[in-house]
Amino acid sequence: MNYKNKNLEELGKKINNLNDKDKNIKSSKKESGAGFGFKISTEIIAALVVGVGIGLIVDNYFNTKPIGLIIFFIFGALAGFLNVYRVMRRIEKQR
């Protein structure tokens, strides 16, 4: 009985060591180019969709057809580029 418990403890320690090494490898990996591009494009597209959506709502509510859409499209684009800038700064600090 004692021999089995000792083997199980050793096996548990080995598994924990492997899990720790796996976590270190995953955390030390840098973000791939495709993942980075997907993150950047998602930031810009999401901001543009929100801006256009708000612009359409404003246009329907105030009956000012192209003006709200144009203004909030520009705001959405600016917000998207601001988000990209923030992501770039965060990645630069990680290096």
Side-chain angles (χ1 to χ4, degrees):
M1 279 282 212
N2 209 5
Y3 182 70
K4 287 183 181 180
N5 287 338
K6 191 174 183 181
N7 283 340
L8 287 176
E9 288 177 15
E10 288 177 15
L11 182 62
K13 289 179 183 177
K14 288 180 182 179
I15 290 173
N16 287 336
N17 286 339
L18 288 174
N19 286 338
D20 291 340
K21 287 180 183 178
D22 189 40
K23 287 179 185 175
N24 289 339
I25 290 172
K26 286 182 181 178
S27 65
S28 68
K29 276 188 178 178
K30 296 202 178 205
E31 194 170 355
S32 69
F36 179 71
F38 184 72
K39 182 184 288 189
I40 296 298
S41 63
T42 302
E43 292 284 343
I44 292 175
I45 290 171
L48 285 174
V49 167
V50 170
V52 167
I54 292 173
L56 291 174
I57 291 171
V58 167
D59 280 341
N60 286 335
Y61 187 74
F62 292 113
N63 201 16
T64 58
K65 282 298 177 206
I67 303 300
L69 179 64
I70 293 169
I71 290 172
F72 282 98
F73 176 81
I74 293 170
F75 283 155
L78 292 174
F81 288 118
L82 180 63
N83 288 339
V84 168
Y85 176 72
R86 288 178 182 162
V87 168
M88 296 291 283
R89 284 189 54 197
R90 190 176 331 134
I91 290 172
E92 192 66 31
K93 285 182 182 178
Q94 290 177 354
R95 288 185 177 184

